[in-house]
Amino acid sequence: MNIRSFCEVTWDDFQNNIFKAIDKEIDNCKDDYILNVCAEDYITYLVDKYTLEPLEILRETEEIGTPVEIKQDLSEYQNRGVFSRYGCYRDGYKIEISYLFNGSGILFKVRPNPFTMTAYDIYVDESNEKVSFFIQIFSQNVEEFNREKSSAYSSAFTNIQNINNCVNSYNSNLHNIIKKKFEDVKQKRLNKTNFFRAIKVKKNF
């Protein structure tokens, strides 16, 4: 998926959507299942399903793609001295930088709270746990390449620690949230079942 790193959806909205999904999954269970399932086994299953894994970029897996030649249109810079210096266009390279990562890839699109005001266009391949971005340089200067790569990396991934702090807090509360939801639903279903029995409703419930 092509995204602007850590800018697509707020943490509060993202977290609330997960809680809604948990509520829906429990609410959709039939009465017989809720009343007879091993509560701790079911709660553990849901915790495992909805736990988020913190993000980690594996810097040692860095791959530099083959540079692609580009031409930059300088017409918009004609009043800044650039246009006359380079002519109408200047030659450069577009280079893909990629890394493997650990964690829940969906988190790359989530804006943490707090949030550091920086972002970058990235591509996330969740199935292969790979994240990449492009840089542009306009020389064959290694120092310029390293400077642009470092700047892009920082812009893209500065908020990883912020999102991981959100994830750690969420994970630490997840078991209790699911347990309370399950117990509330089970109690309501039990009250309904007992009421139906008390008034001798002739149905399977």
Side-chain angles (χ1 to χ4, degrees):
M1 58 181 173
N2 290 300
I3 59 173
R4 189 77 174 165
S5 62
F6 303 103
C7 285
E8 303 284 316
V9 59
T10 67
W11 169 255
D12 286 344
D13 286 344
F14 177 75
Q15 181 177 235
N16 288 337
N17 286 336
I18 297 177
F19 292 151
K20 288 176 182 177
I22 293 171
D23 289 349
K24 182 177 181 180
E25 181 159 350
I26 296 174
D27 288 336
N28 284 346
C29 291
K30 295 185 179 300
D31 291 354
D32 184 65
Y33 183 83
I34 291 291
L35 296 174
N36 293 290
V37 70
C38 173
E40 194 52 46
D41 286 349
Y42 183 57
I43 291 167
T44 298
Y45 159 76
L46 291 177
V47 170
D48 289 344
K49 180 176 180 178
Y50 289 100
T51 290
L52 297 169
E53 296 297 329
L55 290 173
E56 178 189 14
I57 305 296
L58 305 178
R59 295 290 294 267
E60 68 275 13
T61 68
E62 180 182 87
E63 291 185 5
I64 310 300
T66 302
V68 177
E69 293 183 359
I70 60 172
K71 285 186 178 293
Q72 183 185 32
D73 184 353
L74 298 177
S75 58
E76 63 179 295
Y77 301 108
Q78 58 183 319
N79 295 324
R80 306 180 197 175
V82 178
F83 185 80
S84 58
R85 191 181 319 135
Y86 295 100
C88 297
Y89 299 91
R90 64 172 172 168
D91 296 327
Y93 297 100
K94 183 177 182 180
I95 306 171
E96 182 179 21
I97 319 292
S98 62
Y99 304 88
L100 297 180
F101 69 87
N102 290 328
S104 302
I106 191 69
L107 294 171
F108 282 110
K109 68 189 300 183
V110 182
R111 181 186 179 109
N113 184 15
F115 171 76
T116 301
M117 292 294 292
T118 184
Y120 203 81
D121 291 332
I122 62 174
Y123 177 78
V124 180
D125 180 353
E126 291 188 76
S127 60
N128 292 309
E129 296 185 315
K130 190 174 185 177
V131 60
S132 58
F133 56 80
F134 287 92
I135 63 170
Q136 293 183 0
I137 60 173
F138 296 94
S139 74
Q140 295 177 344
N141 184 303
V142 175
E143 290 184 0
E144 180 188 358
F145 167 78
N146 287 330
R147 185 170 59 251
E148 292 298 321
K149 182 184 71 169
S150 178
S151 176
Y153 184 97
S154 178
S155 295
F157 304 129
T158 288
N159 278 292
I160 280 184
Q161 187 56 57
N162 289 333
I163 196 65
N164 284 345
N165 290 340
C166 293
V167 167
N168 290 334
S169 176
Y170 160 87
N171 285 339
S172 68
N173 293 315
L174 188 58
H175 183 277
N176 288 339
I177 290 171
I178 291 176
K179 183 173 185 287
K180 183 178 186 307
K181 171 64 179 181
F182 174 80
E183 290 175 347
D184 288 347
V185 170
K186 183 173 182 177
Q187 188 60 53
K188 289 179 182 178
R189 305 287 180 90
L190 185 59
N191 291 344
K192 182 181 73 173
T193 299
N194 290 338
F195 172 66
F196 282 7
R197 285 175 177 163
I199 63 175
K200 298 181 173 55
V201 173
K202 291 184 179 180
K203 63 174 288 186
N204 294 323
F205 48 82

